[in-house]
Amino acid sequence: STFRDCLTARSGGAVSINMSSLDVTSSVFESCTATGSLSCGQIVMSGSRLAIAHSRFSGIESQDGVVQVTQASGVWVSESIFDRLQVHDARGSLYAAGAADGVQTMSISSCAFTNCSTASTGGAVSIAMASVDVALSSFSDCSASGSLSCAQIVMNGSQLSMAQSNISDVQSGDGIVQVVGASSLNVSSCRFESLRVQSTRGVLYAVGSSGLDRAMTVSNSTFRDCLTARSGGAVSINMSSLDVTSSVFESCTATGSLSCGQIVMSGSRLAIAHSRFSGIESQDGVVQVTQASGVWVSESIFDRLQVHDARGSLYAAGAADGVQTMSISSCAFTNCSTASTGGAVSIAMASVDVALSSFSDCSASGSLSCAQIVMNGSQLSMAQSNISDVQSGDGIVQVVGASSLNVSSCRFESLRVQSTRGVLYAVGSSGLDRAMTVSNSTFRDCL
């Protein structure tokens, strides 16, 4: 069926129902308007089940959401197009709210959202459901200009999964994808490109439910040409754990005060593997984690990173109590620069291991800047690692509060230090035995 050139003055739309279920297939909703207060452009439903397939919504102007369903237990939207939708208030193009009790699931598959705009909170998809899956879908050329507006997906619920989907050419007043009350957020094989965020929270933002394990994974995904104006970054989360694997963060900028270039996290566990960060400019650290008990970074590349303030490329701070461990293995830091304190790696953790890693062609020009590793903690171990062609305003590797510093099978070459403290600098904790060992290592052409 086709609904074309229809106008409603108040709530309602092309289809307004209070039924248990609604199935919409192979239908068109086009060039319609709903301008009144609380008006809904095309479909407004109170019922348990909504399914939309092989349909198109285009050229629609609405005061409120274009498609709305409340009291839902299941919503399925597949192989449909949402194009040139203009929403003047909250809830965006597609809005779903679950029933107070029972199952709440939503699936969006093989859909395209293009040239959609929202003026307030909401986004292309605004959801208050427990579990949501987004797959094989695209969001492009969209904007959300209002305060706290979210351009594409905003969700209040426990589980969001995004797979094989793309978000590109989007402008938003707030985060592009947001999940509040999350227990899990999984992003796999997705692309985020040419995104502009005017405020906090960056591209992906998640806040977990208090008292629960809260896990987020990002795998086989790309973040390219993304700009954030304040704190946040590509991924901004308050979750228990974050795993990033086989992903790329490239040609992104975060220039505002306290902005973080790509990942900012408050949580206990961060793991990054087989990933690349390159061509990034940030006011503060490119990757930051606080309240951490464990940080693992392996087989990853940090290249052409420019940090204007403190904390360098990778910053980790441990929780006030409990275990604090960090491992950097088989990583390469190249052509990275910091302008103030920090370095390629800036750490406030008790124990750190660096192995099979390299730091080269980097600079730290500010007063008291440390070009590669600066640590406030008790134990640092470096093994089979190289630092070369580095210029620093202060020591190349620094450990304050150390009980042990062990360097084995490492190479330090063509290093230039403009001030005191040399290449390796360690200050032990008072009242403790403090030991340093250097074995099977080479220092060459250091000034």
Side-chain angles (χ1 to χ4, degrees):
S1 298
T2 299
F3 296 79
R4 182 177 286 119
D5 190 23
C6 301
L7 184 147
T8 58
R10 290 191 62 192
S11 58
V15 180
S16 177
I17 67 168
N18 187 337
M19 301 281 283
S20 298
S21 68
L22 170 62
D23 286 86
V24 178
T25 58
S26 304
S27 295
V28 175
F29 300 80
E30 190 174 48
S31 303
C32 298
T33 306
T35 58
S37 174
L38 295 178
S39 60
C40 174
Q42 296 306 298
I43 297 175
V44 59
M45 175 187 178
S46 177
S48 61
R49 181 184 180 279
L50 170 64
I52 299 173
H54 305 283
S55 295
R56 177 164 57 89
F57 299 80
S58 64
I60 295 169
E61 181 182 1
S62 175
Q63 184 66 25
D64 208 354
V66 173
V67 175
Q68 292 189 36
V69 55
T70 56
Q71 302 299 313
S73 60
V75 178
W76 298 268
V77 184
S78 63
E79 297 180 271
S80 295
I81 295 172
F82 298 80
D83 176 51
R84 294 176 292 112
L85 308 183
Q86 184 179 4
V87 179
H88 295 289
D89 203 346
R91 298 185 178 176
S93 302
L94 175 59
Y95 172 76
D101 52 9
V103 177
Q104 302 176 5
T105 62
M106 182 173 183
S107 171
I108 299 171
S109 177
S110 302
C111 290
F113 294 78
T114 58
N115 288 291
C116 300
S117 66
T118 60
S120 184
T121 56
V125 182
S126 179
I127 309 160
M129 302 278 283
S131 177
V132 177
D133 289 298
V134 179
L136 299 164
S137 295
S138 63
F139 304 80
S140 62
D141 297 301
C142 299
S143 64
S145 57
S147 173
L148 296 178
S149 60
C150 173
Q152 295 309 294
I153 299 174
V154 59
M155 176 183 173
N156 190 325
S158 58
Q159 297 178 334
L160 171 63
S161 173
M162 288 186 66
Q164 295 176 275
S165 296
N166 303 323
I167 299 181
S168 62
D169 299 296
V170 172
Q171 295 188 25
S172 176
D174 206 357
I176 304 292
V177 176
Q178 294 190 35
V179 184
V180 177
S183 61
S184 71
L185 171 56
N186 301 312
V187 178
S188 63
S189 303
C190 291
R191 181 172 59 86
F192 302 86
E193 189 167 5
S194 299
L195 307 179
R196 301 292 181 265
V197 180
Q198 300 165 15
S199 186
T200 61
R201 299 183 178 175
V203 174
L204 297 182
Y205 173 74
V207 176
S209 300
S210 60
L212 299 175
D213 283 337
R214 300 154 292 166
M216 177 174 178
T217 63
V218 177
S219 62
N220 299 296
S221 296
T222 298
F223 297 78
R224 181 177 288 117
D225 186 28
C226 300
L227 184 147
T228 58
R230 290 186 60 192
S231 59
V235 180
S236 175
I237 68 169
N238 186 337
M239 302 279 280
S240 300
S241 68
L242 169 62
D243 286 87
V244 179
T245 59
S246 304
S247 295
V248 174
F249 301 81
E250 189 174 50
S251 302
C252 298
T253 305
T255 58
S257 173
L258 296 177
S259 60
C260 173
Q262 296 307 295
I263 297 175
V264 58
M265 175 187 179
S266 177
S268 60
R269 181 185 180 279
L270 170 64
I272 299 173
H274 305 284
S275 295
R276 177 164 56 88
F277 300 80
S278 65
I280 295 168
E281 182 182 1
S282 175
Q283 185 67 25
D284 208 353
V286 173
V287 176
Q288 292 189 35
V289 55
T290 58
Q291 304 298 314
S293 61
V295 179
W296 297 268
V297 184
S298 63
E299 298 180 272
S300 295
I301 295 172
F302 298 80
D303 177 51
R304 294 176 292 111
L305 308 182
Q306 183 180 4
V307 179
H308 295 288
D309 204 346
R311 299 184 177 176
S313 302
L314 175 59
Y315 172 75
D321 52 9
V323 177
Q324 302 176 6
T325 62
M326 182 173 183
S327 172
I328 300 171
S329 176
S330 302
C331 291
F333 294 79
T334 58
N335 289 290
C336 300
S337 66
T338 59
S340 183
T341 57
V345 182
S346 179
I347 309 160
M349 302 279 283
S351 177
V352 178
D353 289 298
V354 179
L356 299 164
S357 296
S358 64
F359 304 80
S360 62
D361 296 300
C362 298
S363 64
S365 58
S367 173
L368 296 178
S369 60
C370 173
Q372 295 311 295
I373 300 173
V374 59
M375 176 182 173
N376 190 325
S378 58
Q379 296 177 335
L380 172 63
S381 173
M382 288 187 65
Q384 295 176 275
S385 296
N386 303 321
I387 300 181
S388 62
D389 299 296
V390 171
Q391 295 187 24
S392 175
D394 205 356
I396 304 293
V397 176
Q398 294 188 34
V399 184
V400 177
S403 62
S404 70
L405 171 56
N406 300 312
V407 178
S408 64
S409 303
C410 291
R411 181 172 59 88
F412 302 86
E413 188 169 3
S414 300
L415 307 179
R416 300 293 181 264
V417 180
Q418 300 167 13
S419 185
T420 60
R421 299 184 178 176
V423 174
L424 298 182
Y425 173 76
V427 176
S429 299
S430 60
L432 298 176
D433 285 336
R434 297 158 290 173
M436 177 175 176
T437 63
V438 178
S439 62
N440 299 301
S441 296
T442 300
F443 296 78
R444 182 179 288 117
D445 187 25
C446 300
L447 185 147

